[in-house]
Amino acid sequence: MFHHSTKGDQGGKAVTDIGAGGGAQSRTVDCHLTIRPHNDAPELAVLDAAVRTFAPVEPQTLRWKFPLWELAEDIEPIVKQAPSRNDARMTNAVKDKAHSILETLKREPASTASENKLSNSHPSQKSFRDAIAELEAEDRIAWVSEFQPPRSKTPTGGWRLVHIPPEVGQVDFCDL
């Protein structure tokens, strides 16, 4: 029995949920077999199956070499999934937060500020933590443990912009 797939992204679905039609139709077949795009390259695909009366079939990576599919045993079978709307929103939130952090640090004396001043809400907010991690990984900011915010009696630490001397021939990250 053959039928078409449901609408939308198939990457996050179980093999038996890909086919369009009722549950009774899904339960009548002995084998559901799918070939879906691989996450890494367009010439790769993931073969996956759900069988009723045979030993389970493990997902396998296939490589298209005209005119046949070949087994690519050295590549892990990872099905490509379309980014969700929430992923796009989170990416934009992290970019906006990173830009806000850099702008705030540019205006601060010594280009250093506490986490509370930079976060605009709470330092544990996911977009703030992701933005900090991204900026730190890009060597645009660094943690200074001896930083003492104004009106504080003890150092609490803070983030500062990383300045690379222009004479070294690299970019000054303060210039966005």
Side-chain angles (χ1 to χ4, degrees):
M1 172 184 273
F2 175 84
H3 58 87
H4 63 281
S5 64
T6 56
K7 292 181 183 176
D9 179 42
Q10 306 301 317
K13 296 182 180 178
V15 174
T16 55
D17 295 333
I18 291 175
Q25 180 180 352
S26 176
R27 290 185 294 274
T28 61
V29 297
D30 285 328
C31 176
H32 291 265
L33 185 80
T34 65
I35 298 177
R36 297 183 276 187
H38 193 277
N39 193 52
D40 294 345
E43 71 276 2
L44 298 176
V46 176
L47 173 79
D48 207 354
V51 294
R52 184 166 52 168
T53 56
F54 299 98
V57 176
E58 294 297 321
Q60 299 178 22
T61 302
L62 303 175
R63 179 179 285 114
W64 177 250
K65 291 222 178 165
F66 183 80
L68 303 171
W69 287 104
E70 292 180 349
L71 189 59
E73 295 181 65
D74 57 325
I75 301 173
E76 187 177 348
I78 303 171
V79 176
K80 182 176 185 175
Q81 295 186 13
S84 69
R85 281 183 247 154
N86 193 38
D87 292 340
R89 261 182 277 173
M90 189 61 179
T91 299
N92 288 336
V94 170
K95 284 181 185 176
D96 291 344
K97 187 63 75 177
H99 182 74
S100 172
I101 289 168
L102 292 173
E103 287 296 317
T104 301
L105 287 173
K106 282 173 63 177
R107 291 190 302 269
E108 288 297 309
S111 296
T112 306
S114 68
E115 283 194 335
N116 286 335
K117 181 155 190 159
L118 294 176
S119 68
N120 296 335
S121 57
H122 197 277
S124 65
Q125 183 183 27
K126 182 163 176 28
S127 61
F128 175 76
R129 301 293 342 145
D130 289 350
I132 288 288
E134 190 174 292
L135 291 169
E136 191 176 25
E138 295 171 355
D139 289 328
R140 297 180 81 179
I141 63 172
W143 179 255
V144 180
S145 57
E146 63 273 2
F147 173 69
Q148 185 171 333
R151 290 180 261 147
S152 175
K153 295 185 193 264
T154 59
T156 59
W159 293 100
R160 70 169 173 81
L161 285 175
V162 173
H163 296 277
I164 300 172
E167 62 268 15
V168 178
Q170 296 186 10
V171 177
D172 183 357
F173 287 116
C174 290
D175 301 328
L176 294 175

